[in-house]
Amino acid sequence: MSALIFLATISQITQPVALIPNSYQVAMQNVTAPITENLLSANPQQTLEQGIQLYRTEKFTEAAKLLQQAAGGFQAQADHLNQVLALNYLALAEQQIGELPQAQKAIADSLALLKIAAQRNSYDYLSILAQAWNTQGQIQLASGHSQEALTSWEQATAIYTKLGDDAGKIGSQLNQTQALQALGLYRRARITLIQVNELLEKQPTSPLKVAGLLNLGNTLRLMGDLTQKNTQGKAIEQLGSLQVLEKSLSLATQVYPQLIPEIQLSLGNTAQALSVGQNPEEKSQKLADALDYYTKAALAKSPLTRLQAKLNQMRLLMDQQKWQQVQGLLPEIQQQLDAVPANRKTIYARIHFAQSLTCFKQLTEPVMAGINANCPKNEIFADGSFSNVKNLETVQLTGANVEWKAIAQMIASAVDQAKILKDRRAEAYALGTLGNLYEQTHQWQEAQQLTQQALKLAEGIGAADIAYRWHWQLGRILKAQDNPRRNEQGAIAAYTKAVNILKLLRSDLVAINREVQFSFQEGVEPVYRELVSLLLQNSPYQEDSAANQQNLKTARDVIESLQLAELDNFFRTACLDAKPVQIDEIDPKAAVIYPIILRDRLEVIVSLPNKAQNQKQNLLLRSKPIPVSQTEVEKTIQELRAKLVTRSTREFLPISQKVYNWLIKDIEPQLQAHKVENLVFVLDGALRSVPMAALHDGKEYLIQKGYNIALTPGLHLLPTRSSSRDKPRTIAAGITEAIGNFEGLPSVEQEINSIKQQVPARVLLDSQFTKIALEKIIKSFNAPVVHLATHGQFASNAEDTFILTWKDSQIKDLTLVGDRVNVNELSSLLQTRETSQRNAIELLVLSACQTATGDKRAGLGIAGFALRSGARSTLATLWSVDDQGTAMIMGEFYKQFANTKETKAEALRRAQLLLLADPNYRHPFYWSPYVLVGNWL
């Protein structure tokens, strides 16, 4: 097997693998004594071996001298292949000490020699040629030329495959994934890494296996696969980032200890990512784990790994507002930055340090600073005020803060280094970051010039994931109120370009390039909302002029695009097909209502059926905006939800009326004038967590006013209508018994019996209702309705959105009685049979689920279930409802749905009104949480 040399780096992922060809393996065990000038041999072969040993011990400068000497010795002997080998390692050593121009020359000389070498088809020649391509790819990646690096590594892989050298092939494939990630092609990288690791699983423990697992663990984190959800899964593709990295660490202690700090750094990053969305206790533990891993990684021999660990430590401490500890790290990081050689990774480290200093400065001197999307948890600045910067410790730090000029000089230095390296991507990132700094200090002309320079560079190299950020930044600069060159139309154009790029980037929005450190909520969602805000702020209320219609249509399309992007982020994949739909083509009696939560106000756009027969387009109207902040809207909705689920009180009524006035009151005359029967809501943010049926006008509920109510993530995602409405065959499955922490649902049996009375049904109850049994019955019984009466949860991510089934018999864990089936697994089950338009699932009912407590984005889970299931319509519950009440409402719903020509929305409304009329179930807790998502007809 080929000998291996690995490189420790600053990166969150390992550096590319350098492989020594089989015939040129170095007998390292023969070189044990320290190398001194007196021990140097005139024999170039021995000099090469000594140089490689120095390289392995990370004495790169001394190694470069010996490797240069060895190359000269082989040249004198006309030994071209060994000269090429020496030049390869010389190039690697020069790269490590930051001398990229010399590294580029060495590898170019190496490849040139190979063109004139004899025996071009020999095994030795091809082995060295493959290594030369590997080395060139590594230097190209370090220089910022990712596409060229990918091409070089593809060449290396092809040669190793021809030679039958599995280790070489695997190493070069691992290298390819580095380039793919640098290019933003995360899914392709993940597929390659899983294939490589499946091969490595069959091989003995080796440094190559350790590196492969490290690469895979980091890629899984970037894609949001943080931890294993199915504890029964053992295959590599079933593991999460945490498990893969822990496995890598365990193996590294045996065969590759020098990579341990790199793995600890990655484990820290994964632990920090796992803290997001956890309860306070779990979050605190995960952050403590992350800090512990960073502290250990900071002891690495590699100065680059030490630097990255310190930077990540600082970001984490800033997130926790531990300002004194942050301030203690600043001089140490600055000193380390000054000591490391220039390459792409150190350029990004410099930029990230400057961004962190900017955030730190904003928190201590927030007098004139503006929006900074790079700050962790940017909600500090979301409301445009800085009233929450109030603790004495923070104020006391102000005097010792870094000056804006010093931060600017740091970023300018990164720009200069990128220019010297001819790394246009790093230069574009650095220039844009410098533009953002000038944006913070309201130096608008400089900010605009730098941002436009960064944009030109980013677009010139096709770096869309960076370009959209600078279009967004340009839009913010051009719309700034105190900018003398304020240009609102220019700002709209810049924002529009940013949104258009985001649409094209759909497939990789889940893991924007690793150097750009922000979340979807911080770095993607605001682009859409700020564009809508710009489009609407000068749009007249209740006006139907052609210009205003176009403006409103654009705003509506942007909101629909945001809904799609949120769902892509929910699934961590761009799996949904969006097709524009004209509402009149679906339902001429429907109005579509778009509430839009903006930073400083609540907007409502309504799409109405056109009264004129010759008008094909819907009429779009804008309600008078409600001057309430996003924070106030979310607080109100949270309070309404809490009151609605408390059945002992009617304190919900004033809040329900307030939300009714926000969303419906201003447009109600238009709804009546256009004879609207169906209200279809495209809900935004926190509004997804409350039922629209429970809104109250002071006299009656919205559902009592004659409107059928449905939800949809957007008309672009609306399933088509079924042509058949015979009594639908139904698969009805449920659990009556208590399972683990989930209480029993004794009325489920009554619920299923009432369904059987109305429609032909196949039933799975309790122990019959396993994942395997459900899959079999869906495949064998062509039923358009699937009814699942079992516990479940809707959350803001796909992994935590699940239903509960009985444990399959082959699950050997005796502590488990139930089995959680997440939304992606359920999607696979429901689409087991061929889902053509003819036999697609018409209706999916989830009658005992609830949205996750404390998760303000949990409403996405319902839309996620609805869309991923492939069903045309989904009937679900927003909270865990009364067991007996559910049996009653489901019985009436199926009676209406199966025996009349009424739409699904009308059938649901009648069933809800039946429960509302019962004095025992009058409170909205009982009847309102049922929501219909998708096609309402």
Side-chain angles (χ1 to χ4, degrees):
M1 177 184 286
S2 298
L4 300 170
I5 290 181
F6 293 94
L7 310 173
T9 70
I10 185 179
S11 171
Q12 295 176 3
I13 45 183
T14 61
Q15 273 277 24
V17 180
L19 298 167
I20 304 175
N22 292 343
S23 333
Y24 290 84
Q25 292 183 26
V26 178
M28 296 297 176
Q29 65 273 20
N30 295 329
V31 188
T32 54
I35 296 172
T36 66
E37 291 295 329
N38 296 330
L39 292 174
L40 291 179
S41 170
N43 184 325
Q45 183 66 45
Q46 291 180 355
T47 305
L48 174 62
E49 292 171 2
Q50 293 164 351
I52 293 175
Q53 190 208 17
L54 284 168
Y55 180 92
R56 291 192 69 181
T57 55
E58 299 189 4
K59 297 176 180 176
F60 299 118
T61 302
E62 297 169 57
K65 292 177 182 177
L66 290 188
L67 292 166
Q68 181 75 63
Q69 183 179 331
F74 287 129
Q75 182 179 17
Q77 296 176 1
D79 185 345
H80 293 313
L81 288 185
N82 271 315
Q83 184 183 355
V84 167
L85 191 60
L87 287 169
N88 274 347
Y89 283 100
L90 174 61
L92 292 171
E94 296 281 15
Q95 183 215 341
Q96 285 297 312
I97 58 179
E99 299 292 345
L100 280 175
Q102 289 90 324
Q104 290 163 348
K105 182 179 185 307
I107 192 59
D109 290 346
S110 173
L111 286 166
L113 279 170
L114 283 168
K115 290 181 180 178
I116 62 171
Q119 300 176 326
R120 297 186 62 177
N121 289 320
S122 70
Y123 189 94
D124 290 345
Y125 172 85
L126 291 173
S127 293
I128 293 179
L129 177 62
Q131 187 189 354
W133 283 117
N134 250 335
T135 303
Q136 176 165 274
Q138 180 169 330
I139 292 165
Q140 286 167 331
L141 187 68
S143 303
H145 306 301
S146 307
Q147 184 60 58
E148 293 86 344
L150 179 60
T151 301
S152 294
W153 284 324
E154 287 171 341
Q155 293 271 16
T157 301
I159 297 170
Y160 283 127
T161 302
K162 181 178 179 180
L163 292 172
D165 184 342
D166 289 338
K169 178 182 175 182
I170 289 170
S172 56
Q173 284 180 315
L174 286 175
N175 291 342
Q176 284 183 42
T177 64
Q178 307 300 310
L180 288 169
Q181 292 181 56
L183 290 165
L185 303 173
Y186 297 95
R187 304 187 190 294
R188 193 171 150 194
R190 183 177 186 266
I191 291 167
T192 301
L193 280 166
I194 286 176
Q195 292 171 346
V196 167
N197 279 283
E198 284 174 346
L199 292 174
L200 287 170
E201 282 289 297
K202 302 170 185 176
Q203 298 192 6
T205 299
S206 67
L208 190 62
K209 181 180 281 193
V210 175
L213 289 167
L214 176 55
N215 276 301
L216 178 59
N218 284 311
T219 303
L220 289 172
R221 180 181 62 254
L222 290 168
M223 298 186 67
D225 298 329
L226 298 176
T227 190
Q228 183 178 8
K229 297 298 177 181
N230 178 8
T231 56
Q232 303 303 312
K234 300 297 181 186
I236 192 74
E237 68 270 14
Q238 295 177 301
L239 302 180
S241 173
L242 178 63
Q243 290 74 33
V244 171
L245 290 172
E246 286 175 339
K247 189 172 183 179
S248 177
L249 182 62
S250 175
L251 297 180
T253 58
Q254 303 171 39
V255 297
Y256 196 8
Q258 58 266 49
L259 198 63
I260 287 175
E262 190 73 27
I263 302 169
Q264 290 168 333
L265 180 62
S266 293
L267 278 164
N269 294 334
T270 295
Q272 191 172 356
L274 279 166
S275 71
V276 177
Q278 301 292 336
N279 64 47
E281 185 178 346
E282 290 175 339
K283 179 176 181 177
S284 177
Q285 182 57 56
K286 293 297 181 187
L287 291 177
D289 291 344
L291 201 57
D292 182 55
Y293 280 125
Y294 291 148
T295 302
K296 290 175 180 176
L299 301 175
K301 289 183 180 180
S302 165
L304 298 178
T305 304
R306 289 201 305 271
L307 173 60
Q308 185 65 65
K310 290 291 184 183
L311 281 168
N312 290 0
Q313 205 173 349
M314 184 178 73
R315 299 281 292 195
L316 189 152
L317 291 169
M318 284 182 60
D319 200 13
Q320 296 178 294
Q321 301 187 22
K322 296 181 178 179
W323 310 120
Q324 294 285 7
Q325 293 180 54
V326 170
Q327 193 177 30
L329 282 173
L330 298 183
E332 189 177 345
I333 293 173
Q334 181 65 66
Q335 186 177 14
Q336 290 184 14
L337 264 176
D338 293 339
V340 293
N343 57 36
R344 172 184 274 196
K345 297 182 188 305
T346 56
I347 290 171
Y348 278 111
R350 192 175 294 275
I351 293 169
H352 291 156
F353 184 47
Q355 289 172 343
S356 296
L357 288 174
T358 301
C359 296
F360 185 59
K361 193 166 183 67
Q362 282 185 323
L363 286 163
T364 54
E365 300 178 28
V367 179
M368 63 181 299
I371 292 174
N372 185 358
N374 297 306
C375 288
K377 300 212 167 176
N378 197 43
E379 63 265 21
I380 290 172
F381 309 105
D383 61 357
S385 69
F386 304 95
S387 57
N388 53 352
V389 182
K390 58 192 176 189
N391 66 67
L392 182 62
E393 179 192 11
T394 301
V395 176
Q396 288 172 340
L397 291 174
T398 304
N401 212 340
V402 181
E403 295 298 323
W404 288 112
K405 185 177 180 181
I407 301 173
Q409 288 172 340
M410 189 179 302
I411 305 172
S413 174
V415 174
D416 291 340
Q417 289 178 351
K419 286 180 177 177
I420 292 169
L421 295 177
K422 297 182 180 178
D423 185 345
R424 290 187 291 168
R425 182 182 178 88
E427 186 182 351
Y429 189 34
L431 278 169
T433 304
L434 189 56
N436 179 252
L437 186 73
Y438 281 103
E439 181 191 0
Q440 306 311 305
T441 57
H442 294 205
Q443 293 173 267
W444 302 116
Q445 185 173 350
E446 293 84 354
Q448 182 174 341
Q449 288 173 350
L450 288 163
T451 303
Q452 288 171 331
Q453 288 176 40
L455 257 177
K456 186 177 180 180
L457 272 173
E459 291 179 332
I461 59 173
D465 56 333
I466 292 179
Y468 100 82
R469 298 190 75 217
W470 305 148
H471 279 299
W472 175 28
Q473 184 165 292
L474 182 60
R476 296 197 305 269
I477 292 165
L478 291 174
K479 74 168 186 174
Q481 292 293 336
D482 61 335
N483 184 354
R485 299 185 178 185
R486 188 175 189 273
N487 180 349
E488 191 170 288
Q489 289 307 308
I492 289 173
Y495 270 102
T496 301
K497 286 179 181 177
V499 165
N500 288 338
I501 292 173
L502 286 172
K503 290 178 185 177
L504 294 173
L505 276 174
R506 275 185 66 197
S507 61
D508 279 294
L509 268 182
V510 296
I512 287 292
N513 191 284
R514 65 182 177 276
E515 294 101 354
V516 184
Q517 302 175 339
F518 50 75
S519 70
F520 179 88
Q521 284 75 39
E522 293 165 344
V524 175
E525 187 176 334
V527 185
Y528 290 89
R529 295 196 185 281
E530 289 166 23
L531 174 55
V532 169
S533 180
L534 267 175
L535 289 166
L536 292 182
Q537 66 186 15
N538 292 319
S539 180
Y541 318 135
Q542 305 276 4
E543 183 183 303
D544 60 358
S545 67
N548 197 41
Q549 287 295 295
Q550 183 57 48
N551 207 40
L552 290 174
K553 181 180 182 301
T554 303
R556 182 196 66 182
D557 290 347
V558 172
I559 283 298
E560 292 246 1
S561 296
L562 174 57
Q563 294 271 346
L564 183 61
E566 285 184 298
L567 286 162
D568 285 342
N569 188 60
F570 173 85
F571 288 120
R572 312 300 298 182
T573 179
C575 58
L576 304 172
D577 294 324
K579 298 176 182 177
V581 174
Q582 184 64 27
I583 186 67
D584 275 351
E585 297 173 4
I586 304 169
D587 182 3
K589 297 179 181 179
V592 185
I593 299 171
Y594 298 83
I596 305 164
I597 302 171
L598 300 175
R599 180 180 59 82
D600 58 348
R601 66 192 191 277
L602 177 67
E603 293 269 7
V604 178
I605 299 175
V606 59
S607 175
L608 294 163
N610 231 307
K611 289 187 287 187
Q613 294 295 321
N614 60 343
Q615 291 291 331
K616 294 184 178 180
Q617 295 293 321
N618 287 31
L619 177 66
L620 293 170
L621 294 177
R622 176 196 181 204
S623 298
K624 187 175 182 180
I626 312 297
V628 289
S629 69
Q630 177 180 344
T631 303
E632 185 179 345
V633 170
E634 291 176 350
K635 182 180 177 182
T636 301
I637 296 302
Q638 185 178 11
E639 187 178 359
L640 175 58
R641 164 74 183 234
K643 300 295 185 185
L644 285 172
V645 299
T646 308
R647 66 191 93 176
S648 61
T649 176
R650 294 182 63 81
E651 293 177 1
F652 65 86
L653 275 172
I655 314 169
S656 177
Q657 189 172 348
K658 178 193 278 190
V659 179
Y660 177 92
N661 292 340
W662 283 354
L663 303 185
I664 304 296
K665 185 177 180 181
D666 198 38
I667 62 173
E668 190 162 22
Q670 294 291 347
L671 297 177
Q672 295 171 356
H674 287 258
K675 299 180 180 178
V676 168
E677 295 180 4
N678 300 317
L679 295 182
V680 182
F681 289 89
V682 181
L683 293 178
D684 187 22
L687 286 165
R688 299 186 185 105
S689 66
V690 293
M692 295 296 101
L695 300 187
H696 202 277
D697 69 353
K699 296 180 180 178
E700 58 185 351
Y701 295 106
L702 184 59
I703 198 174
Q704 294 176 300
K705 299 171 79 68
Y707 297 117
N708 305 316
I709 297 171
L711 309 178
T712 178
L715 295 183
H716 287 191
L717 296 170
L718 193 64
T720 55
R721 180 184 180 181
S722 170
S723 57
S724 173
R725 274 298 301 270
D726 297 329
K727 280 197 173 187
R729 297 203 297 176
T730 300
I731 295 168
I735 293 178
T736 64
E737 298 183 24
I739 294 182
N741 295 326
F742 296 95
E743 62 186 24
L745 299 169
S747 294
V748 161
E749 188 169 1
Q750 177 190 338
E751 180 181 334
I752 289 178
N753 286 334
S754 66
I755 293 170
K756 288 168 62 179
Q757 292 174 11
Q758 302 298 333
V759 293
R762 294 273 182 90
V763 174
L764 298 172
L765 196 63
D766 289 332
S767 61
Q768 300 171 327
F769 179 24
T770 65
K771 191 158 48 172
I772 290 177
L774 181 61
E775 183 175 4
K776 286 180 179 177
I777 200 170
I778 287 172
K779 189 180 294 185
S780 62
F781 186 57
N782 188 10
V785 176
V786 176
H787 184 108
L788 305 177
T790 179
H791 285 293
Q793 175 178 274
F794 304 117
S796 58
N797 61 77
E799 292 80 7
D800 293 330
T801 297
F802 65 89
I803 62 163
L804 199 66
T805 65
W806 205 267
K807 182 184 76 171
D808 283 320
S809 58
Q810 66 262 39
I811 296 179
K812 296 177 182 172
D813 189 342
L814 299 178
T815 64
L816 293 176
V817 180
D819 189 12
R820 293 188 179 197
V821 181
N822 72 34
V823 62
N824 291 319
E825 293 173 310
L826 183 64
S827 169
S828 299
L829 291 176
L830 294 176
Q831 298 185 34
T832 299
R833 71 169 185 251
E834 186 64 33
T835 52
S836 65
Q837 282 299 316
R838 184 178 60 82
N839 65 357
I841 293 173
E842 178 69 27
L843 176 66
L844 170 66
V845 181
L846 305 166
S847 67
C849 296
Q850 62 181 332
T851 49
T853 304
D855 187 344
K856 66 182 181 182
R857 305 175 69 86
L860 276 174
I862 296 180
F865 247 125
L867 290 165
R868 201 62 186 268
S869 70
R872 293 188 174 100
S873 310
T874 299
L875 178 56
T877 49
L878 287 171
W879 54 76
S880 186
V881 290
D882 179 82
D883 191 27
Q884 181 63 37
T886 298
M888 291 173 60
I889 206 167
M890 285 296 139
E892 182 65 19
F893 171 76
Y894 277 95
K895 179 180 176 181
Q896 296 288 334
F897 179 58
N899 298 303
T900 72
K901 295 297 182 182
E902 299 298 344
T903 65
K904 287 176 270 221
E906 171 70 11
L908 176 60
R909 186 176 75 89
R910 290 186 179 188
Q912 288 176 299
L913 288 174
L914 180 72
L915 213 62
L916 175 57
D918 188 325
N920 294 321
Y921 296 102
R922 188 171 296 160
H923 194 285
F925 167 82
Y926 297 103
W927 56 264
S928 72
Y930 303 90
V931 292
L932 183 67
V933 183
N935 198 303
W936 56 93
L937 298 176

